[in-house]
Amino acid sequence: MSSGLVALLDDVAVIARAAAASLDDVAAGVAKAGTKAAGVVVDDAAVTPSYVTDFTPDRELPIIWKIAKGSIRNKLLILLPIALLLSAFLPVAVTPILMLGGLYLSFEGAEKILEKLGGARHGETLEDEIADAAAFEKARVAGAIRTDLILSAEIMAISLAQVEHNPIWVQAAALAAVGVVITAAVYGAVALIVKMDDAGLHLVKESKSAGARALGRGLLRAMPIVLQLLGSIGTLAMLWVGGGIILHGLAELGLAAPEHALEALSHAVAAATGPLGAVLGWLAYAVGAALVGLVLGAIIAVVVHLVTRSKAH
């Protein structure tokens, strides 16, 4: 009996060690994948506030919560199974699908810029008289979730590339963990950003400290500028992420010259600018990718508006 019990305990110890090693693999995969996806996470955080600005304060957090739930569904119920299936059975389809997403992001970014330059607006905006506030909010949330789907696809694709040599269950666990952590981080940050003005107002009205009231006034003055800046960064993010996806996809499909040319420009700028080389080199690549996204997105936007106009007639 005692020898049997010892053998059983040995088996349990072996299983526990194997499980711990597997969890280490998942944790390492999550850390590696999350680091690689950090750039797209920043873009996601910059894009999202534009979907909740100018709503009444009582609707900001509910809207962010709706978008966050949609983001989780995007990552766990749509993208995770698709990523695993494509990785296992049709890996060649991943790049073209991502490129279609890049074109959509480029279209969204280019359309926003064309609207700012006086072009025709596509759908209702907050500057219009809104007949049905609930329907408008639903449409705004749906638009945010669509954009999140593309950014999340890029996050999941980058993450999958870091763990593709692991067993499929490790891939699934790592991608699910990355999806949950990144969604919480992005939408938690967005919630903090859009509620900064409420925090400032509370400090001004309720605080007995002169310093706290001054901080509150500073937050109130800064928030319109911050939100406007984030809106502009969000538009640019759509363009540089979309353009970057397209350039990288072309390279994967055998047309590497455009991406290599932009990388060469980035390296040249980095080498010529000394201590600021890393930042300016990255900026050169981002601007080049954004220009690619802007040109392609503008072409698509013009075609979409022409088709819409012809259907209207």
Side-chain angles (χ1 to χ4, degrees):
M1 284 291 290
S2 61
S3 62
L5 181 59
V6 170
L8 178 60
L9 291 175
D10 283 343
D11 290 341
V12 170
V14 169
I15 293 170
R17 283 196 298 271
S22 297
L23 290 174
D24 285 344
D25 290 341
V26 173
V30 170
K32 190 176 181 183
T35 301
K36 287 287 185 179
V40 186
V41 173
V42 173
D43 300 333
D44 204 356
V47 168
T48 305
S50 64
Y51 289 96
V52 296
T53 53
D54 294 331
F55 280 101
T56 57
D58 63 303
R59 294 308 305 155
E60 290 172 343
L61 290 182
I63 290 171
I64 292 170
W65 176 236
K66 288 180 182 179
I67 299 172
K69 288 191 293 184
S71 179
I72 284 288
R73 287 195 297 269
N74 284 342
K75 292 180 179 74
L76 300 188
L77 301 183
I78 299 174
L79 296 172
L80 176 57
I82 290 174
L84 295 176
L85 288 172
L86 289 178
S87 176
F89 301 109
L90 196 60
V92 295
V94 174
T95 296
I97 291 172
L98 283 176
M99 290 178 72
L100 288 175
L103 288 173
Y104 176 78
L105 281 180
S106 299
F107 161 69
E108 284 275 296
E111 189 175 52
K112 289 179 183 295
I113 288 179
L114 291 174
E115 288 175 1
K116 289 182 184 298
L117 294 175
R121 291 184 299 189
H122 197 59
E124 275 187 319
T125 74
L126 287 163
E127 296 170 7
D128 302 320
E129 183 177 348
I130 298 168
D132 187 337
F136 176 70
E137 180 180 310
K138 185 177 179 180
R140 179 60 69 93
V141 169
I145 293 173
R146 280 196 304 271
T147 300
D148 174 272
L149 179 65
I150 308 303
L151 292 170
S152 294
E154 181 71 357
I155 289 169
M156 299 298 268
I158 292 170
S159 302
L160 181 63
Q162 308 309 309
V163 294
E164 61 184 348
H165 300 301
N166 294 93
I168 190 166
W169 79 267
V170 173
Q171 295 180 27
L175 291 180
V178 167
V180 170
V181 170
I182 283 178
T183 301
V186 167
Y187 292 99
V190 170
L192 288 175
I193 289 169
V194 300
K195 300 308 288 184
M196 278 174 59
D197 53 349
D198 290 344
L201 186 61
H202 177 78
L203 289 174
V204 169
K205 288 185 173 181
E206 304 295 335
S207 179
K208 297 179 180 179
S209 165
R213 289 196 299 273
L215 175 61
R217 288 191 293 271
L219 288 174
L220 289 173
R221 286 193 294 267
M223 273 310 296
I225 300 170
V226 169
L227 290 175
Q228 186 174 9
L229 182 61
L230 281 174
S232 299
I233 292 173
T235 299
L236 293 174
M238 290 181 183
L239 293 173
W240 83 58
V241 173
I245 292 172
I246 293 162
L247 288 170
H248 185 67
L250 290 174
E252 289 284 324
L253 296 175
L255 185 60
E259 185 178 49
H260 288 171
L262 197 52
E263 287 175 347
L265 173 64
S266 174
H267 293 321
V269 170
T273 51
L276 296 176
V279 173
L280 294 179
W282 172 85
L283 185 61
Y285 186 92
V287 169
L291 289 173
V292 170
L294 178 60
V295 170
L296 294 175
I299 293 170
I300 297 170
V302 169
V303 171
V304 167
H305 284 294
L306 287 176
V307 169
T308 303
R309 194 176 303 162
S310 66
K311 286 183 177 179
H313 291 302

